[in-house]
Amino acid sequence: MFRSSPRLPPARHFALTWGLADQHGGMTSAMLRRSRSFRLIGGVDVDILTLDDRPDYSEYAARLHASGELIEGLRIRNLWDELREKLPAPRGTAPESPELLRPEDGDVVAMHGGTVLSRVRRGADGRLLAVDRFRRDGSLLATERPDSDRKIVLYAGDGTPIRSWKTSWGLYRWWFDRVTGGKPSFLLVDSKTAARSVAGYRRDNVTTVHIVHASHRQGGRAGELRATRQYVLRRAGEFDAIVVLTTRQQADLAEDLAAVGVEATIWTIPNGVDLPEENVIAREAGHGVVVASLNTRKRLTHAVEAIAAARAAGARVEADIFGEGPREAVIRRRIRRLGIEDRIRLRGHDPAARLAFRTASFSLLTSTSEGLPLVLVESMAAGCIPIAYDIRYGPADMIRDDVDGFLIPEGDVDAMARRIVELQSMPTAQIEAMRRRAIARAAEFSDATVTRRWSRELRAAYDAKLLAAAKDQPLAVRLRRRAGVLRRKVLWALGR
């Protein structure tokens, strides 16, 4: 039996997200890891496309290169940066320009190198009223007026209007056409915000895939989509494929889409993980770790309460919490109220936080919902025993309860505390066996294994796209196209 190769289709590959932040979360980390794997294992370059107004992508990319998150063959391309660089430069005296926002009106300004690159005005209710964007030489690049018939107008260097769009999506799709250049391309969309502009973007040369990184259900209820995902998922059939991270979510999403009359192709491809070369490291008994954003969805007060309850039951345990977010003050107050300031430490954001899994005894996951939490896979890959709420989605797809970790009824702090106590009293040999099984389970999510799955699915989609594009062509063209597809499949089966 032949094993498929991880080599990816010979095409242009793009990863689309709305924007990149310095202290990025799981979705961005997963996107960057997948892109690195596409380059190192799949053998293709990847352009990471962004649509936001961040003014310093060149410096940000340099920092990502220095940290190893961005490598040769990966580059970040921002819509507005490219428009600033690739449109005509100023010449002569600029004609009269539209009425621009005035600096004294207190608008939000984005600057870089002392130059104003954008000025944004919002109403008291937060609604966007106007945006002006500028080149680095100060000349006008674009105006955005949501209530105008021409929402976005692009200007040449001399101030002459050269192009306009009625919607932002029109501009984005025009840019997608420019970057793909009519060549066979794969556009993988990670951000649910950016995905709104890709639903309905149909080109014979572009295969579109939207990756759903978190739960799509509202409160886990069958048939009810989250409000933030309804627009895109009700148009799931307008993508060439939707990707979810677990088979459980694939079944749920298929059921939910069928309930609203939507037909879509759904793939299950988990996020990959960098497996440590060495997992046998001296661990601190009773030391737990949590790596998560300090927000409502992560529900970290439950982790704090579980540690406190375990200590009250006699377990000598403590924990480090890595991350930052809007709930930090709430979590600190809970720690103080429980009197365990010396046993639970808030470490803040740390790019190397995941190394803590290699020396910790156990990890906690207390979220309300997930897709397939990368920290869970990383914890198991490092031999750190996970204790996780049985939520949609991820924990039950990874953990075999009492075999390679522990599954806790959703929201049951007392049950989590009991498992923490139980772990401390287990024989050393039993704990070490559980660690080895956790490592073996995580190995199924290696970058090579995941890239091979991407390769198989993308090649099938690539061939389907070619055949679909030829369906109205003369018979001879259709036969040649089909013969080419069959030849590639044979070579693929041979690992070539």
Side-chain angles (χ1 to χ4, degrees), residues 108-183:
V108 177
V109 174
M111 299 187 65
H112 186 240
T115 300
V116 174
L117 295 183
S118 68
R119 185 171 284 115
V120 180
R121 179 172 300 168
R122 295 185 180 274
D125 59 355
R127 185 172 66 90
L128 181 69
L129 300 179
V131 184
D132 294 334
R133 294 181 173 90
F134 305 91
R135 293 180 179 80
R136 297 184 185 277
D137 60 13
S139 62
L140 180 64
L141 173 69
T143 55
E144 183 172 351
R145 302 294 185 268
D147 294 332
S148 172
D149 289 339
R150 295 191 303 166
K151 179 178 179 179
I152 297 178
V153 180
L154 198 62
Y155 298 87
D158 64 359
T160 304
I162 56 176
R163 185 117 191 185
S164 66
W165 294 269
K166 294 182 178 180
T167 67
S168 301
W169 296 352
L171 166 63
Y172 303 156
R173 293 170 181 179
W174 171 80
W175 187 52
F176 300 155
D177 287 343
R178 286 169 64 93
V179 299
T180 57
K183 303 294 185 181

Side-chain angles (χ1 to χ4, degrees), residues 202-205 207 240 460-473 478 481-482 485:
R202 307 296 290 169
R203 302 292 188 270
D204 288 344
N205 65 299
T207 300
D240 290 290
Y462 180 73
D463 288 342
K465 197 86 173 179
L466 290 177
L467 294 176
K471 66 180 180 180
D472 296 325
Q473 298 294 317
R478 298 200 304 273
R481 187 68 58 86
R482 186 173 294 278
V485 168

